[in-house]
Amino acid sequence: MATVLRLDGMGAATSPARAAAFGGAVLRDAGWREAVLLTVALWTFVAIIYLPILFERHPSATWRSLLLDEATLCVSMLLAMPLFALYRGTHGLAAGPRTLALGIGVLAVSIVQVCFDLLYTGLIADTVDTAWENLPTDLSRAYRATFNYLCVFGVNVVLFQLVTARRHELVQAQELAQALHTAQHAQLAALRYQLNPHFLFNTLNAISAMIVTRRNEEAELMTDKLSSFLRASLASDPTELVPLDQELSLMEDYLEIESIRFGERLHVEIDCASDACAAKVPSFLLQPLVENAIKYGVAPSREPVEIRVAGRREGDQLIVTVEDNGAGAGSAVKASGTGVGLQNIRKRLAALYGEAGALSLEERAPGFAATIRLPVRD
């Protein structure tokens, strides 16, 4: 082989299993940390809004009285936690029973809060600030306070639902993205390993023929090169992007194996422009094209055939061409672009680059050229 190598540089749950899975997702999405932060934020906002009412209630009081009154909101935050536990615990119920259970829970913690407020007012008046004796502790205050707490604790539960739903959407989006990535990886792996096995069969047949004709040194050399090439092929990640010069080196190894079969009938030129060598391409993307050039260009010909593999840049695009000047009868089959290898190249380009990646085929007289265009990734 005469080689010139130039490197210039979901629907509604209808089954118990599905319901259990949905319930598990809700429990996972309803996190205690978010509930605590949300509750602290809500009741801090209530404390700020409540300040004018406190100034009215304690017209001549010091800041100590105001802080003592605001301190009851810490109890409100603590009471919101059993509400969140109830919210999590009723995730498996239907909407009606769950709403009823949460309503009863809101009413219960509101009554507990009001009872605490009344007892707290009496305790402060007796032990800390006698001015608190003027604060009402009758049922009229209890009714008003209960209504206010019902509203705020109700908002607290609604916020639990909103935040949980939002987090569930984000988790679902992440899982969907991961599933799509996994599916794409599996698709690329399948395309990568769906190589035409005739190369392996032909190589093994050639090695067998060499052994029969006692060309043992050539058979040993071909076996070593085949082993190295297959090892590199199986070890490569189907979704990995490799520098173009590395891909071209692998194609040179492949063509060296074929050169042992075809001898002087195969000439190879590999040319990589200096500004294109570092650009990334999918691993083993060129192998089907080079294999086609061997199968349809070199194998049917009795005259020497040159295969040229070249890479260059045009702006933000990488152009890689595999061409031969063979006059084999199979060039029309290549031009149709219906081979498995060519289809796989197109699918890999579409999966990785969308419409930005393309494979074009051109029949020449003599010869054939395949050109890949894809975005430059350095």
Side-chain angles (χ1 to χ4, degrees):
M1 175 183 68
T3 303
V4 180
L5 178 60
R6 297 199 303 270
L7 298 178
D8 305 331
M10 286 187 202
T14 57
S15 67
R18 187 169 181 178
F22 176 76
V26 171
L27 288 177
R28 176 192 59 196
D29 297 334
W32 281 97
R33 180 175 179 274
E34 288 83 356
V36 170
L37 293 176
L38 186 65
T39 299
V40 170
L42 172 64
W43 288 96
T44 301
F45 175 75
V46 170
I48 296 172
I49 297 299
Y50 196 54
L51 276 176
I53 299 176
L54 293 185
F55 282 115
E56 265 184 40
R57 181 184 296 179
H58 308 281
S60 59
T62 62
W63 278 103
R64 185 183 66 170
S65 294
L66 296 176
L67 291 177
L68 287 172
D69 210 336
E70 291 276 23
T72 59
L73 297 180
C74 295
V75 177
S76 303
M77 297 178 191
L78 293 176
L79 290 175
M81 295 301 98
L83 268 183
F84 183 66
L86 179 64
Y87 172 82
R88 285 169 55 93
T90 58
H91 71 272
L93 298 180
R98 190 184 191 200
T99 302
L100 178 61
L102 291 174
I104 293 173
V106 169
L107 177 61
V109 296
S110 298
I111 292 175
V112 170
Q113 178 73 65
V114 171
C115 292
F116 173 81
D117 286 355
L118 296 178
L119 293 174
Y120 181 76
T121 299
L123 178 64
I124 297 299
D126 292 340
T127 60
V128 179
D129 191 344
T130 56
W132 282 52
E133 293 177 352
N134 299 324
L135 298 180
T137 56
D138 55 10
L139 289 179
S140 62
R141 177 188 174 188
Y143 290 144
R144 292 195 303 271
T146 301
F147 176 77
N148 291 335
Y149 282 124
L150 279 172
C151 293
V152 181
F153 280 117
V155 170
N156 212 153
V157 173
V158 171
L159 289 178
F160 289 155
Q161 174 62 27
L162 292 177
V163 171
T164 299
R166 175 58 179 164
R167 185 179 179 188
H168 184 58
E169 290 178 359
L170 292 176
V171 170
Q172 283 188 319
Q174 292 174 352
E175 291 177 347
L176 177 60
Q178 181 62 34
L180 292 175
H181 173 75
T182 302
Q184 184 187 56
H185 191 282
Q187 179 191 26
L188 290 173
L191 294 174
R192 167 63 187 84
Y193 293 123
Q194 195 181 3
L195 299 177
N196 194 329
H198 82 267
F199 156 69
L200 181 59
F201 295 153
N202 288 343
T203 304
L204 292 176
N205 287 335
I207 292 174
S208 177
M210 292 175 184
I211 294 174
V212 170
T213 57
R214 299 187 182 282
R215 296 160 58 191
N216 295 337
E217 291 186 1
E218 292 183 6
E220 183 178 354
L221 176 62
M222 195 171 190
T223 301
D224 289 341
K225 291 185 177 296
L226 176 62
S227 175
S228 298
F229 180 79
L230 291 179
R231 187 181 299 110
S233 174
L234 295 174
S236 67
D237 184 345
T239 61
E240 181 185 13
L241 298 179
V242 300
L244 177 59
D245 55 357
Q246 179 179 328
E247 176 76 0
L248 294 179
S249 295
L250 287 172
M251 292 306 99
E252 183 187 14
D253 294 339
Y254 171 83
L255 288 168
E256 284 182 356
I257 297 173
E258 297 289 8
S259 70
I260 300 175
R261 290 177 54 207
F262 296 104
E264 293 300 322
R265 288 166 52 196
L266 174 60
H267 296 263
V268 176
E269 180 181 347
I270 299 178
D271 184 12
C272 183
S274 58
D275 59 348
C277 289
K280 299 296 183 67
V281 298
S283 63
F284 282 85
L285 183 68
L286 303 180
Q287 195 271 343
L289 299 180
V290 176
E291 187 174 350
N292 271 6
I294 293 291
K295 180 178 180 180
Y296 297 111
V298 180
S301 177
R302 295 288 175 248
E303 300 296 327
V305 175
E306 180 181 59
I307 295 178
R308 184 173 187 272
V309 185
R312 70 183 191 280
R313 285 184 63 162
E314 289 184 1
D316 59 353
Q317 281 194 320
L318 177 66
I319 314 297
V320 184
T321 303
V322 178
E323 54 188 347
D324 66 77
N325 59 0
S331 60
V333 178
K334 284 199 300 181
S336 67
T338 58
V340 172
L342 299 178
Q343 290 180 359
N344 284 358
I345 290 176
R346 289 194 171 99
K347 289 178 181 178
R348 290 183 73 188
L349 290 174
L352 290 170
Y353 304 103
E355 296 181 356
L359 168 66
S360 60
L361 307 174
E362 178 187 358
E363 189 172 7
R364 297 176 179 176
F368 187 85
T371 302
I372 293 176
R373 294 177 176 267
L374 63 161
V376 173
R377 292 184 179 178
D378 295 325

